[in-house]
Amino acid sequence: MGIYVITGGSSGIGKRTVEILKERGHETVNIDLKDGDINANLATPAGRSAALEELHRRYPDGIDAMICNAGVNRNIPLIISLNYFGATEMAAGAFDLLKKKGGSCVVTSSNSIVQGAARMDVVGMLNNQADEARILELVKDYDPRAAHSFYAATKYALARWARRMSASWGAQGVRLNAVAPGNVRTAMTDGLSPEQRAAVEALPVPVNYESGELMDPSDIANAIAFLASPEAHGVNGVVLFVDGGTDALLNSEKVY
Amino acid sequence: MIIADFVRALQAKDHKAMAACFADECRLFDYCPLRIKNENYYIYGRWAVEMFYHNKFVLGGLSVLDPRIVDERTVNLYINYGGQVNHALATIESYDPVSGLIRELVIRPA
C-alpha cells in the first residue's frame, strides 16, 4: 500500500479523500493548519519549509502521492499564498520524494477557471514572475469583494502550472495532474450570503439539477484518488473537470 | 403564439419559462457570440436550455432589448451579451409535431 500525502485534509474534499485512501488501505499524511498529522501554516514560506522538512524526515525513502488540496476563498493575500504558493511549493518540495517511488501529484484547481472571472494579470504574475512577497504587497489593499476574481486567478494559475510542469516531471517518472471541481458542498459553501447562493445556483450542476444539490465531496475525492493512483499511469498534464457537467454545459465548443 | 411566450421569457430573464417553450428534445443555436469573439451557443435539450440561460441571465449579463415579433416564427431583437449588443433575428425552424413546442430555434446576426 502507498504513502499518500495531502494538504488540507482536515475538512471538505481533503477529508473525504483521506477517508477514501484509508479505506483502500493506504497510509495517509494530512498536512493542515490544525488537526493534521503534520500541523503547518502553508500560507507562509516558513510553514511550508517546516512541513517539507518533517515530510523528508519521516519518509526518506519517498512517497507515492502528493495531493495539494488546501485552499480558501476569502482574504485575498491568503488566497494568493495558500491556493497558489501553498500548492506549487509543496508539490515542488516533495518532488524528490515522489521521484524515489515513481509517484504522482494532484493539485486541486476549480472549474471557475473557465468562467471568465479570473484576473489574468494575476495569473500571469503567478505563473511567470512568482515573487510571493511582491505580489502580496501589490494585492494587500484590494477590495475584499474582489476575492472571487483572485480565487479564480490562483486556481487558473495552478492548473496552468501543472500543465507546464507535467512534461518534465513525467519524463522523470512523476505524473502531475489537476482536478477542477464544480461547486462542492463544503464549509466554504455553507456560509454563503443570499447573493452568493444565487450566483452558485446560476452555475447548475447537470447531474444534480433535479435536486439542486451541489457536488458531494466524495465526487471530487474519488477523482483525486484515481489520478493519484497507479491506475492513472497514462494520465499526465490533465485538468480533469469534476463538476457534473457544468463546464460542458457552458463551454461545449471547447474540446481541448 | 409560442414566439410571444419565448420573447416574454427572454425579457423577464426567466430561464424556466424560456425552457418551457421548448420540446424535451430540441436544439437552440445562437450564431451571434462569435461576432464578439465568444464561442457560439449550441444547446441541445430543454434541460440544457434551462440551465444554460439560468447561468447567462444571472451571471452572464444576457438581456434583450426592443424585441419585435415579425411573424409566428421570427423575432427581430437586440441581444446584450454582457455589455456588447448584437442586432439579431431569432427564428423558429421547426416545432415538435405532438406538443407544438419549439424543436429548433436559431439566432443569427440581423
Side-chain angles (χ1 to χ4, degrees):
Chain A
M1 291 292 107
I3 299 165
Y4 284 62
V5 181
I6 184 168
T7 69
S10 297
S11 61
I13 294 168
K15 183 178 182 180
R16 186 66 191 118
T17 305
V18 168
E19 290 168 355
I20 288 170
L21 292 170
K22 282 185 172 172
E23 286 164 12
R24 297 179 185 177
H26 299 299
E27 177 180 351
T28 62
V29 184
N30 172 25
I31 304 175
D32 211 326
L33 189 59
K34 56 183 179 182
D35 302 326
D37 302 302
I38 297 173
N39 289 323
N41 181 1
L42 301 182
T44 67
R48 297 192 286 266
S49 284
L52 287 167
E53 191 175 317
E54 178 62 13
L55 205 56
H56 281 77
R57 189 188 68 75
R58 291 192 193 186
Y59 302 100
D61 297 328
I63 59 176
D64 293 278
M66 180 75 194
I67 299 164
C68 298
N69 170 73
V72 292
N73 64 355
R74 294 186 180 88
N75 186 326
I76 292 170
L78 186 59
I79 288 170
I80 296 280
S81 284
L82 184 61
N83 294 12
Y84 186 76
F85 292 100
T88 57
E89 295 207 353
M90 289 304 292
F95 177 75
D96 60 330
L97 298 179
L98 292 167
K99 196 174 170 185
K100 286 178 179 176
K101 298 190 78 170
S104 69
C105 180
V106 182
V107 299
T108 303
S109 178
S110 163
N111 81 339
S112 66
I113 63 177
V114 293
Q115 290 152 14
R119 280 193 53 150
M120 296 308 291
D121 54 344
V122 177
V123 174
M125 283 181 226
L126 292 170
N127 282 143
N128 302 330
Q129 301 96 26
D131 185 326
E132 184 176 8
R134 289 188 73 188
I135 295 172
L136 289 179
E137 179 65 21
L138 194 68
V139 305
K140 67 179 168 47
D141 295 325
Y142 268 92
D143 185 339
R145 288 173 295 184
H148 180 66
S149 63
F150 284 86
Y151 173 82
T154 56
K155 294 299 188 179
Y156 194 115
L158 186 56
R160 195 158 72 180
W161 176 85
R163 295 270 293 168
R164 285 182 177 183
M165 302 302 291
S166 61
S168 176
W169 283 32
Q172 298 173 79
V174 179
R175 294 180 298 105
L176 174 56
N177 293 291
V179 291
N183 284 317
V184 182
R185 192 180 63 249
T186 68
M188 279 203 289
T189 55
D190 285 344
L192 297 177
S193 67
E195 293 78 16
Q196 290 169 321
R197 174 63 57 183
V200 166
E201 289 172 352
L203 290 167
V205 179
V207 297
N208 291 351
Y209 192 62
E210 287 282 1
S211 66
E213 295 287 333
L214 300 180
M215 297 286 286
D216 188 276
S218 292
D219 298 330
I220 319 305
N222 277 313
I224 291 173
F226 166 69
L227 286 176
S229 75
E231 284 75 25
H233 178 260
V235 184
N236 187 36
V238 162
V239 180
L240 179 63
F241 284 81
V242 189
D243 62 2
T246 306
D247 177 55
L249 169 73
L250 301 177
N251 302 293
S252 65
E253 305 313 292
K254 292 181 181 174
V255 297
Y256 176 73
Chain B
M1 285 196 302
I2 197 120
I3 192 86
D5 294 340
F6 173 72
V7 169
R8 271 193 295 273
L10 272 175
Q11 287 184 293
K13 294 186 168 189
D14 184 337
H15 58 282
K16 288 186 179 292
M18 184 167 162
C21 297
F22 287 81
D24 284 357
E25 292 188 23
C26 64
R27 60 186 197 179
L28 188 165
F29 291 174
D30 184 343
Y31 293 111
C32 291
L34 199 58
R35 298 184 103 196
I36 53 171
K37 296 183 169 53
N38 288 332
E39 293 283 358
N40 290 331
Y41 303 161
Y42 302 90
I43 307 161
Y44 287 80
R46 182 169 65 83
W47 289 107
V49 170
E50 181 173 323
M51 292 187 288
F52 185 87
Y53 280 92
H54 183 185
N55 175 268
K56 292 301 175 193
F57 288 149
V58 175
L59 296 179
L62 192 144
S63 60
V64 299
L65 308 163
D66 193 19
R68 300 184 183 192
I69 295 174
V70 177
D71 56 35
E72 63 183 14
R73 287 178 175 271
T74 307
V75 56
N76 183 314
L77 73 172
Y78 294 94
I79 305 178
N80 181 346
Y81 297 89
Q84 298 199 62
V85 178
N86 267 261
H87 191 185
L89 286 172
T91 305
I92 298 174
E93 300 288 346
S94 66
Y95 296 93
D96 182 85
V98 177
S99 66
L101 296 170
I102 299 169
R103 192 164 62 183
E104 181 176 2
L105 183 139
V106 178
I107 302 171
R108 301 179 176 88

